Amino acid sequence: AQSVAQPEDQVNVAEGNPLTVKCTYSVSGNPYLFWYVQYPNRGLQFLLKYITGDNLVKGSYGFEAEFNKSQTSFHLKKPSALVSDSALYFCAVRGTGTYKYIFGTGTRLKVLA
Amino acid sequence: DAGVTQSPTHLIKTRGQQVTLRCSPISGHKSVSWYQQVLGQGPQFIFQYYEKEERGRGNFPDRFSARQFPNYSSELNVNALLLGDSALYLCASSLLSEGNQPQHFGDGTRLSIL
């Protein structure tokens, strides 16, 4: 069975500091992994996806994600946080040959000025 | 290009009523999925349709049904509404039904049950 865990409900970081939002997954076969961001009263916006063979994936708005197969993790990172990055972040997984996404419970990122 | 559009944006119903939510995918996208997002939780998969056929169904009761039209737009129907059906309903479209194609989401329909 597929599953995704986001262990932190909220992450606080000062503006200009690096940020990390954690995600671990469980899936049979090769994983398809994604990060999305949700702003208030909006749908989910695609940030980036894992590409087989790339342990560091670059996405939109300066975000990147680090894939670690042995730890089954796909952590979202950004070298320098902006106040405008404050939002709800979701990790999602889709197993090979399956049709549905499984989303984590979300992590609220708060960037403090 | 227009993104995924959903209508209506907000809806208020009472228990026992029926509701229909509508979704238009990004032009060229043949796969449409529906999700329910309860406040404070991640989206939960309800249905996926591809080329007008149901490809998958999540763990939702038979009160939930959907269909996809020849132009790839989709409707989600919920009968006999319960208070617990109050949520943000999200539609997402993608080119294909599987693989690493990202899904693109609309802004959702917020359904409130009184």
Side-chain angles (χ1 to χ4, degrees):
Chain A
Q2 302 172 156
S3 66
V4 175
Q6 293 182 244
E8 302 154 319
D9 290 337
Q10 181 161 320
V11 170
N12 295 326
V13 64
E15 187 175 32
N17 282 4
L19 69 88
T20 298
V21 182
K22 295 179 181 177
C23 171
T24 58
Y25 66 91
S26 174
V27 65
S28 55
N30 291 323
Y32 297 124
L33 296 159
F34 308 85
W35 275 101
Y36 286 83
V37 60
Q38 187 175 34
Y39 295 97
N41 301 313
R42 300 297 301 275
L44 278 67
Q45 185 175 338
F46 171 69
L47 278 179
L48 54 81
K49 66 180 182 182
Y50 170 61
I51 299 170
T52 303
D54 288 351
N55 288 340
L56 187 65
V57 179
K58 294 192 183 298
S60 304
Y61 312 117
F63 284 93
E64 55 194 25
E66 188 173 23
F67 175 74
N68 187 313
K69 187 174 182 178
S70 62
Q71 296 185 2
T72 61
S73 66
F74 190 56
H75 299 333
L76 183 69
K77 296 175 180 288
K78 188 174 183 182
S80 179
L82 300 173
V83 172
S84 57
D85 292 330
S86 298
L88 190 56
Y89 290 80
F90 290 98
C91 181
V93 65
R94 174 190 260 178
T96 307
T98 65
Y99 47 83
K100 66 178 182 180
Y101 280 43
I102 302 296
F103 283 87
T105 51
T107 298
R108 188 166 299 281
L109 174 66
K110 192 169 184 180
V111 181
L112 307 170
Chain B
D1 284 343
V4 176
T5 57
Q6 293 186 242
S7 63
T9 54
H10 294 84
L11 206 49
I12 299 175
K13 292 285 187 178
T14 57
R15 284 178 296 175
Q17 285 189 311
Q18 175 264 342
V19 69
T20 297
L21 311 181
R22 296 176 175 83
C23 172
S24 293
I26 291 173
S27 178
H29 285 192
K30 299 181 179 180
S31 175
V32 170
S33 297
W34 287 95
Y35 292 84
Q36 181 194 64
Q37 186 180 18
V38 175
L39 195 63
Q41 297 183 17
Q44 298 291 314
F45 173 77
I46 309 176
F47 286 110
Q48 188 199 61
Y49 277 77
Y50 181 71
E51 288 280 18
K52 302 178 287 295
E53 291 189 2
E54 181 182 308
R55 282 296 184 93
R57 183 186 183 114
N59 189 23
F60 280 81
D62 292 342
R63 299 185 295 108
F64 289 76
S65 64
R67 55 180 175 168
Q68 187 177 32
F69 299 98
N71 66 353
Y72 303 110
S73 67
S74 178
E75 287 182 352
L76 175 70
N77 296 285
V78 186
N79 294 323
L81 288 165
L82 303 174
L83 291 178
D85 295 332
S86 294
L88 180 67
Y89 288 85
L90 295 165
C91 174
S93 75
S94 59
L95 281 169
L96 302 173
S97 63
E98 297 180 1
N100 69 345
Q101 293 288 320
Q103 294 188 324
H104 299 272
F105 285 79
D107 284 339
T109 294
R110 184 159 298 282
L111 176 62
S112 299
I113 311 301
L114 302 180

